[in-house]
Amino acid sequence: MGLANWLTVLRILLIPVFVTLLVYKQRGPALAVFLAAALTDLLDGYVARHRGSQSRLGAFLDPMADKLLLMSSFALAIHMAGGRITPRPTWAGKVATFFQVLTVLTGLLARFYQVTGGLKMVVWLAAIFTVFSGLQYIVQGMRFLNAAHADEAREPDETALFR
């Protein structure tokens, strides 16, 4: 495993450190860890390209590390801002999870036990339901944001008393 992949692994390992620091309100150290993680993102790509050490593992790990870091950052930012997002599971989300698990199982069976057939169909079903459930969650999120915005507009302006 080359230096670029080690930098990506380091970014993944920094995520729980970042989250823990934010949970315990250590904002300065959390910011430093986040910046270090962001720096590893820049460096791993640079190293891989300039050393010619691009790999299949890196192509898999790098975007995963990015998504994990950003998802945890967004979730914590919403929480720290006082947001209370409690998405309800949707039927499409449950079906998507079923087909995602089935995709992994079918892929493992196909690879390790030479069981053929059905993998392409299961992958397509997983993709379709994943996109559909993602759209459902986006709609839920937009409704939540619109409701929160409406609540803010209805709250009396406390500063108006001092004008």
Side-chain angles (χ1 to χ4, degrees), residues 3-159:
L3 177 60
N5 289 343
W6 280 111
L7 288 167
T8 302
V9 169
L10 175 62
R11 183 162 69 256
I12 293 169
L13 293 174
L14 287 173
I15 294 168
V17 175
F18 168 68
V19 168
T20 302
L21 288 168
L22 274 182
V23 166
Y24 288 103
K25 298 183 176 149
Q26 301 296 312
R27 291 178 182 94
L31 179 60
V33 169
F34 183 81
L35 289 173
L39 183 61
T40 66
D41 188 26
L42 294 174
L43 289 175
D44 69 2
Y46 177 81
V47 167
R49 282 187 300 280
H50 285 78
R51 289 191 176 181
S53 61
Q54 295 165 321
S55 68
R56 289 175 57 192
L57 178 62
F60 173 78
L61 285 180
D62 185 63
M64 184 180 71
D66 293 343
K67 301 306 179 272
L68 288 171
L69 177 63
L70 292 174
M71 283 178 18
S72 60
S73 301
F74 288 142
L76 281 167
I78 290 168
H79 177 73
M80 290 175 66
R84 299 288 180 257
I85 296 178
T86 53
R88 292 180 302 266
T90 65
W91 66 268
K94 291 178 180 186
V95 173
T97 300
F98 170 78
F99 281 114
Q100 290 165 356
V101 169
L102 191 59
T103 297
V104 172
L105 291 173
T106 306
L108 291 173
L109 286 171
R111 173 72 172 113
F112 297 119
Y113 298 104
Q114 285 72 40
V115 174
T116 58
L119 179 59
K120 194 178 278 192
M121 181 186 67
V122 173
V123 169
W124 273 105
L125 286 169
I128 290 166
F129 281 104
T130 299
V131 168
F132 187 71
S133 70
L135 291 173
Q136 280 186 320
Y137 285 116
I138 289 170
V139 168
Q140 275 187 10
M142 295 305 289
R143 286 182 183 152
F144 172 80
L145 290 174
N146 288 336
H149 182 67
D151 287 345
E152 286 176 4
R154 281 188 290 239
E155 290 180 10
D157 185 7
E158 294 174 10
T159 60

